[in-house]
């Protein structure tokens, strides 16, 4: 217990200085160096996988500047090794979670006291600042629309809401005990002002509200905090257009395995939880180190010696990292999530990242309750059909379609059209359950991959009529 208390005191001091902007470069070097050594010793002593993976490495001599000489940890490693990745027994953890296993075997993701303390601290500070900016001195009622069983969503956000003194209610519409009808009733009756959910849920909830006779403009929702998939500024602006009076903010960027990597600010930016990670960017195709700013695949080394710290973990996410501006709403470098490495889409004359494709389609679009991008190959050329569920306030569908087609033609040199379709394929609402690409892209140029098939298997759960 003394070791935990010593860590807590040291961590809280660093956290206080980080939030106050008084950490110097020398302070960071000292923190990163000590924590890296502590974690490397921890994993090589306690994790069977890392004992083998880092065999022969003098962990005491590894520094943040030489970290890149160590081998990567991959998703395949985690799936293959499972419990051997852990630095201790699951019984030593505070709570056990695992990944969903939608695209491969689930991996165990227990969290110990240190893990919960350090990861939740970033979310708590994010919410504290965002709520103060949005609601002043009072706390809103928070609706949590995400899974809780074997998943950290409900525990993390429930704990953070409790720490801030905000009432929260778990109203995930996918749950058979809830559904959209009950969720909407409780939003109205309880005065829920903040909804935490995946981006796709913003649109599904609006469609459900209209189906069940609610006017989204008269419901009390003032803010959506979104996570779990790509959410471009263009998507956020459109989602806000179907929820008059509400703003879409990022909640966090993270995963079951890597915890809370970055948290959202009132500006719409995500900021790195800097005391908890060493970050690297690598070329997604070659693994070549690109540095710690710019654009590339994110590689993380966790600095907290908890139950499952990961060393040089290739997240599979393409991100852009830039220094935070002097007047940033949160401390820490800015992280922009561009999509999964495996979700890059060859289209016409270009290869587009998910964020680039979504931004191209939704730029200037308002009143859209959902969309799906259908790609066909005809006579050696790609053709795109964008299916959109449009509200009357979206304007003239023909003019909207011409704008979308022109942007896609300019971006990728492809022929495109927009089709207004009120009954979209329900797979478009699966969102973060599998992947952005599986929910948004129907690529008829090839057979459906495992992610697309997994999304189709669960699509029926997202019906808005229940």
């Amino acid at each position: 217990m003394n070791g935990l208390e010593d860590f807590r005191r040291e961590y809280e001091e660093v956290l206080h200085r980080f939030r106050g902007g008084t950490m110097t470069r020398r302070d960071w070097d000292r923190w990163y160096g000590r924590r890296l050594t502590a974690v490397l010793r921890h994993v090589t002593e306690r994790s069977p996988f890392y004992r083998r993976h880092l065999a022969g490495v003098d962990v005491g001599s590894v520094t943040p500047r030489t970290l890149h000489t160590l081998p990567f940890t991959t998703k395949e490693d985690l799936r293959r090794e499972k419990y051997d990745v852990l630095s201790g027994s699951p019984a030593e953890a505070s709570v056990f979670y695992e990944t969903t296993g939608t695209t491969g075997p689930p991996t165990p993701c227990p969290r110990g006291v240190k893990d919960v303390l350090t990861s939740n601290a970033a979310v708590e500070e994010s919410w504290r600042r965002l709520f103060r900016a949005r609601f002043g001195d009072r706390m809103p009622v928070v609706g949590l629309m995400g899974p809780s069983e074997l998943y950290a969503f409900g525990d993390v956000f429930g704990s953070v809401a409790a720490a801030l003194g905000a009432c929260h209610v778990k109203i995930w519409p996918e749950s058979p005990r809830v559904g959209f009808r009950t969720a909407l009733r409780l939003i109205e009756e309880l005065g829920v002002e903040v909804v935490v959910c995946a981006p796709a849920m913003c649109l599904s909830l609006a469609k459900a509200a209209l189906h069940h006779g609610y006017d989204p403009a008269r419901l009390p929702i003032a803010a959506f905090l979104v996570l779990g998939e790509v959410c471009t500024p263009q998507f956020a602006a459109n989602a806000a257009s179907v929820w008059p009076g509400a703003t879409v903010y990022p909640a966090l960027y993270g995963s079951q395995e890597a915890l809370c990597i970055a948290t959202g600010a009132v500006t719409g930016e995500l900021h790195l939880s800097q005391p908890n990670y060493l970050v690297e960017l690598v070329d997604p195709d070659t693994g070549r180190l690109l540095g710690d700013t710019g654009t590339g695949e994110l590689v993380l080394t966790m600095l907290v010696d908890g139950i499952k710290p990961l060393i040089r973990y290739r997240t599979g996410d393409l991100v852009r990292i830039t220094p935070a501006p002097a007047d940033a709403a949160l401390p820490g470098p800015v992280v922009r999530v561009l999509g999964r490495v495996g979700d890059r889409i060859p289209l016409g004359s270009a290869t587009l990242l998910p964020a680039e494709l979504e931004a191209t389609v939704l730029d200037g679009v308002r009143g859209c309750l959902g969309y799906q991008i259908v790609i066909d190959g005809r006579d050696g050329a790609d053709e795109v059909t964008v299916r959109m569920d449009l509200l009357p306030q979206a304007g003239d569908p023909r003019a909207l379609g011409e704008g979308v087609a022109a942007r896609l033609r300019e971006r990728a040199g492809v022929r495109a059209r927009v089709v207004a379709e009120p009954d979209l394929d329900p797979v478009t609402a699966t969102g973060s359950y599998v992947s952005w690409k599986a929910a948004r892209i129907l690529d008829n140029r090839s057979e459906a991959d495992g992610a697309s098939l997994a999304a189709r298997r669960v699509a029926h759960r997202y019906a808005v009529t229940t």
Side-chain angles (χ1 to χ4, degrees):
M1 182 60 69
N2 288 338
L4 175 61
E5 290 307 314
D6 289 343
F7 171 83
R8 187 194 300 268
R9 281 193 296 270
E10 183 181 23
Y11 184 81
E12 288 180 349
E13 172 62 23
V14 169
L15 200 60
H16 176 74
R17 296 186 62 196
F18 169 57
R19 291 170 177 172
T22 62
M23 286 286 284
T24 66
R25 182 68 262 173
R26 185 176 180 182
D27 292 332
W28 281 120
D29 287 345
R30 187 182 299 114
W31 173 254
Y32 288 150
R34 287 204 308 270
R35 294 312 310 160
L36 177 60
T37 299
V39 168
L40 288 175
R41 286 176 173 160
H42 180 67
V43 299
T44 51
E45 290 171 2
R46 307 208 67 199
S47 164
F49 165 69
Y50 278 117
R51 192 176 302 122
R52 298 190 305 271
H53 197 56
L54 300 178
V57 174
D58 178 5
V59 296
S61 68
V62 178
T63 70
R65 290 179 177 83
T66 62
L67 177 63
H68 68 278
T69 63
L70 300 184
F72 293 119
T73 302
T74 66
K75 184 77 169 180
E76 289 69 32
D77 291 331
L78 303 187
R79 288 170 172 163
R80 182 187 66 251
E81 300 288 339
K82 289 184 173 290
Y83 292 94
D84 275 0
V85 178
L86 305 186
S87 294
S89 161
E92 298 174 57
S94 300
V95 60
F96 181 88
Y97 307 113
E98 67 177 20
T99 58
T100 59
T102 53
T103 56
T107 61
C109 300
R111 297 186 185 184
V113 174
K114 287 184 180 180
D115 306 309
V116 173
L117 166 71
T118 55
S119 188
N120 284 16
V123 187
E124 187 176 325
E125 182 66 10
S126 166
W127 280 26
R128 181 180 290 108
R129 296 191 187 198
L130 195 151
F131 288 175
R132 185 183 302 124
R134 191 67 177 80
F135 302 104
D137 293 333
R138 68 180 181 84
M139 282 290 158
V141 177
V142 179
L144 303 181
M145 291 193 173
S148 293
E149 303 86 349
L150 287 178
Y151 203 76
F153 180 98
D155 288 347
V156 168
F157 293 121
S159 295
V160 169
L164 295 177
C167 173
H168 71 278
V169 53
K170 295 174 181 174
I171 47 174
W172 192 29
E174 187 185 330
S175 166
R177 296 286 302 263
V178 182
F180 280 97
R181 186 191 300 273
T182 298
L184 287 161
R185 175 179 61 80
L186 290 171
I187 287 170
E188 183 178 53
E189 292 178 356
L190 300 178
V192 172
E193 291 179 283
V194 175
V195 171
V196 188
C197 63
M201 183 60 73
C202 300
L203 303 184
S204 296
L205 190 64
K207 189 174 180 68
L210 295 170
H211 176 83
H212 291 291
Y214 293 90
D215 178 359
R218 297 180 66 83
L219 287 171
I221 298 173
F224 288 93
L225 304 185
V226 298
L227 70 160
E229 61 182 273
V230 170
C231 182
T232 61
Q234 292 79 7
F235 182 98
N238 171 68
S241 76
V242 301
W243 286 98
T247 306
V248 179
Y249 301 103
L252 64 77
Y253 159 57
S255 68
Q256 290 276 85
E257 291 151 338
L259 311 184
C260 172
I261 301 167
T263 51
V266 71
T267 57
E269 303 284 11
L270 288 160
H271 291 261
L272 180 69
S273 303
Q274 195 170 355
N276 298 353
Y277 303 94
L278 280 170
V279 300
E280 302 169 81
L281 296 172
V282 301
D283 183 296
D285 299 313
T286 67
R288 181 174 61 89
L289 181 66
L290 302 175
D292 59 6
T293 58
T295 301
E297 180 184 352
L298 180 64
V299 175
L300 295 172
T301 295
M302 300 165 73
L303 297 176
V304 177
D305 50 340
I307 198 69
K308 191 183 178 180
L310 302 176
I311 309 302
R312 298 204 77 211
Y313 174 55
R314 292 189 68 159
T315 63
D317 292 331
L318 289 165
V319 304
R320 181 174 297 121
I321 299 179
T322 55
D327 58 348
L330 275 178
V334 173
V335 181
R336 293 181 176 87
V337 183
L338 305 176
R340 300 285 294 169
V341 170
D343 287 353
R344 291 175 291 178
I345 302 156
L347 184 64
S349 60
T351 296
L352 300 181
L353 305 178
E356 294 173 329
L357 185 53
E358 179 172 271
T360 301
V361 168
L362 292 183
D363 188 24
V365 173
R366 301 292 183 269
C368 176
L369 290 172
Y371 75 94
Q372 183 181 47
I373 300 168
V374 183
I375 306 173
D376 291 289
R378 300 185 192 280
D379 302 324
D382 292 338
E383 289 187 354
V384 176
T385 301
V386 182
R387 298 170 177 166
M388 287 187 168
D389 183 358
L390 299 171
L391 291 170
Q393 60 261 39
D396 179 8
R398 180 176 300 179
L400 184 150
E402 289 174 353
V404 173
R407 291 192 295 275
L408 284 170
R409 186 167 56 249
E410 179 181 0
R411 194 73 178 78
V414 294
R415 291 172 292 183
R417 64 187 182 120
V418 170
V419 175
E421 192 167 322
D423 296 315
L424 283 177
D425 186 338
V427 76
T428 61
T430 58
S432 61
Y433 184 80
V434 179
S435 76
W436 176 92
K437 185 177 180 181
R440 296 296 181 195
I441 306 295
L442 176 58
D443 192 342
N444 292 323
R445 299 171 299 180
S446 59
E447 294 294 323
D449 60 16
S452 297
L453 294 174
R456 294 196 173 280
R457 282 195 297 270
V458 300
H460 67 280
R461 301 182 190 172
Y462 294 81
V464 302
T465 56
T466 55

